[in-house]
Amino acid sequence: MRQLRALVAVAAASVAMATALPAAAHEPWDDGSIPPPPPASAADGYSKDMHLLSTSAHTGGVNSDLAFKGSLVFAGHYGGFRVIDLAEPGSPVELADVHCNGPQGDVTIHGDLLFLSVDTPQSTEACEGSRNVTASTPGAFEGIRVFDISDPADPTFVKAVRTDCGSHTNTLVPGEGDTAYVYVASYPLSASNIGPDCQAPFERISVIQVDGDDAAAGAGARVVAEPTIKGVDYFGAAYGVTPFYACHDITVLSPKKIAAAACLSQGQLWDISNPLQPVVTADIDTTGVDIWHSAAFTPDGKYVTFGDEYFGPAKEPFGALWTYAVADPSTAISHYRIPRSEPNTYHNFNYVPLADRYVLVSSAYGSGTSVVDLTDPAAPKEIAFYDMRSNQWSTYFYNGLIVANDISRGVDTLRLSNKAVAGAKKLPMLNPQTQEYLIG
């Protein structure tokens, strides 16, 4: 997520360690006003079963989230997104680098469409000439940009969809047939971004509907609902800003029509039987956790794990994974933080699609990539890690590989030679925040 401005800079978004991100970065090819992110943290090493196969370097702007289709990786960054072919994991081929300024680059795919989050006001809706401006600039745009990726070597801009407060993250919610919905989460970040439709306390998400998965359908994408999300605590007073309600990221388990919302004060579970009107079914409030950053369901849907975004010194229990039973999330079954001395956060993660075990793969900013066995949810244990001058925003397991988008370096592809992930289901595609299957 992009670095926040003003006093909420180190608290309300998914930024890297305090020195890891510049504020609202341009790509250098735009105007050169913002340099690339600085080098990552010092190397702590790696477990013997983690093997780096390749790095597809991208050192221009901040690298952010990932989505997958076949052998392709769609890697978001603050200046657009890249398309990388991992058919040969040791020799990645960059097919395209789409220059489209607009932090923060959260990406989601639906058939031949890609949705790109823009959470800094831009001078234009389209890509050409897009520059960071303020919300007071006439015609300024924030929201979702839609691209046609039917030719992955030549993605084309289709449409921009304005959403209130922009788009910090976006999550695909499958509908009937080829229809899909995009949940857009954001919030009033600072005075420079607050406009007439982005006022504290806010307390809502935007829902975009797209009636198909090709360019023609993308051209018809539009906001169809702005449901109010009840029950989230106020956030921001401790940081000197007007308190607001907000959810940071949303993870969907579509076979059960439920979602887990990681919000800036607590977690929630939602019933999304009607995707236009999510219903809060549980509030998950844990003392000492200010920013629930991300969430993931186990492959069988029995448990949900939330990550705590934390920026202080290494200290129990902060920056940890917290796991709850979906049937009764009133009390955490366990929490687990990385067993190393540097500050860390479990940031963006997913569960390996396994029938008989729970294995979670996560980015951890300066602590690199961490693999945690939660087969016994009450006794989590790190079983592998990779931290070589890392600054990793997103790390996911996909079809036998571990793929990380390193903020500073680019896309790392790793292999985990550990029997814990043997027998993992292969998937035709993956939006990590949209689980479209149940196993077990």
Side-chain angles (χ1 to χ4, degrees):
M1 309 305 159
R2 66 167 163 163
Q3 176 141 349
L4 303 184
R5 289 169 287 282
L7 294 175
V8 82
V10 294
S14 110
V15 295
M17 298 301 175
T19 60
L21 294 183
H26 285 290
E27 290 291 320
W29 58 70
D30 275 342
D31 59 15
S33 62
I34 302 295
S41 68
D44 276 354
Y46 54 90
S47 58
K48 64 182 181 181
D49 51 1
M50 288 284 271
H51 315 282
L52 179 67
L53 303 180
S54 64
T55 296
S56 179
H58 181 263
T59 57
V62 173
N63 300 300
S64 54
D65 212 358
L66 299 167
F68 305 85
K69 182 180 180 181
S71 65
L72 303 179
V73 179
F74 297 86
H77 57 75
Y78 276 28
F81 65 95
R82 296 196 295 157
V83 185
I84 300 165
D85 192 342
L86 286 181
E88 296 291 339
S91 301
V93 177
E94 183 182 281
L95 302 181
D97 188 356
V98 178
H99 297 182
C100 196
N101 189 72
Q104 65 200 22
D106 203 26
V107 288
T108 296
I109 57 174
H110 174 53
D112 287 336
L113 297 175
L114 180 143
F115 304 97
L116 183 70
S117 287
V118 179
D119 200 21
T120 294
Q122 295 299 297
S123 56
T124 66
E125 290 189 348
C127 297
E128 187 174 354
S130 186
R131 299 287 188 273
N132 295 358
V133 293
T134 65
S136 62
T137 303
F141 166 77
E142 282 186 289
I144 293 288
R145 285 173 170 147
V146 184
F147 293 83
D148 176 5
I149 54 170
S150 57
D151 180 356
D154 187 25
T156 57
F157 174 78
V158 174
K159 183 179 183 178
V161 182
R162 293 175 182 269
T163 58
D164 293 345
C165 286
S167 173
H168 206 66
T169 62
N170 75 87
T171 300
L172 190 81
V173 182
E176 297 297 325
D178 289 334
T179 296
Y181 304 91
V182 180
Y183 281 179
V184 176
S186 199
Y187 31 79
L189 300 171
S190 69
S192 65
N193 280 355
I194 294 175
D197 297 319
C198 186
Q199 298 284 347
F202 199 58
E203 199 181 15
R204 62 185 181 272
I205 64 171
S206 297
V207 182
I208 294 171
Q209 181 171 329
V210 55
D211 301 316
D213 61 4
D214 60 10
R222 72 276 185 199
V223 174
V224 293
E226 294 178 330
T228 297
I229 305 302
K230 294 293 186 182
V232 179
D233 296 335
Y234 274 125
F235 178 87
Y239 303 98
V241 299
T242 302
F244 56 86
Y245 303 97
C247 290
H248 178 273
D249 211 346
I250 303 163
T251 296
V252 168
L253 180 58
S254 59
K256 289 197 170 186
K257 299 186 184 302
I258 60 174
C263 304
L264 297 191
S265 54
Q266 65 197 74
Q268 290 189 329
L269 295 182
W270 298 350
D271 179 341
I272 57 170
S273 299
N274 179 352
L276 303 185
Q277 296 180 342
V279 175
V280 177
T281 59
D283 291 311
I284 302 169
D285 202 345
T286 299
T287 301
V289 177
D290 274 343
I291 306 173
W292 292 113
H293 182 273
S294 300
F297 292 98
T298 56
D300 57 11
K302 292 181 180 178
Y303 301 95
V304 61
T305 297
F306 287 85
D308 165 25
E309 185 165 39
Y310 171 68
F311 301 98
K315 180 181 179 182
E316 279 284 352
F318 303 104
L321 296 169
W322 296 78
T323 299
Y324 305 81
V326 171
D328 180 12
S330 57
T331 304
I333 297 170
S334 68
H335 79 272
Y336 183 80
R337 66 173 300 279
I338 291 173
R340 288 181 285 286
S341 60
E342 64 187 343
N344 52 63
T345 283
Y346 276 104
H347 198 234
N348 282 340
F349 45 81
N350 72 334
Y351 273 96
V352 180
L354 293 160
D356 58 349
R357 298 181 294 285
Y358 302 146
V359 178
L360 181 142
V361 174
S362 182
S363 62
Y365 284 152
S367 291
T369 286
S370 176
V371 182
V372 181
D373 190 331
L374 286 123
T375 302
D376 178 356
K381 180 182 179 181
E382 185 179 64
I383 59 172
F385 73 98
Y386 184 88
D387 179 12
M388 297 301 293
R389 294 191 59 80
S390 298
N391 197 1
Q392 289 177 352
W393 182 297
S394 298
T395 306
Y396 304 113
F397 185 93
Y398 178 69
N399 290 351
L401 301 173
I402 290 176
V403 183
N405 210 10
D406 190 281
I407 291 167
S408 308
R409 184 169 52 240
V411 173
D412 291 337
T413 303
L414 301 107
R415 182 88 68 187
L416 173 59
S417 57
N418 188 309
K419 63 182 181 181
V421 297
K425 177 182 176 69
K426 287 200 170 184
L427 304 173
M429 53 81 64
L430 175 66
N431 289 308
Q433 285 73 44
T434 306
Q435 185 175 319
E436 299 188 53
Y437 58 84
L438 283 173
I439 304 175

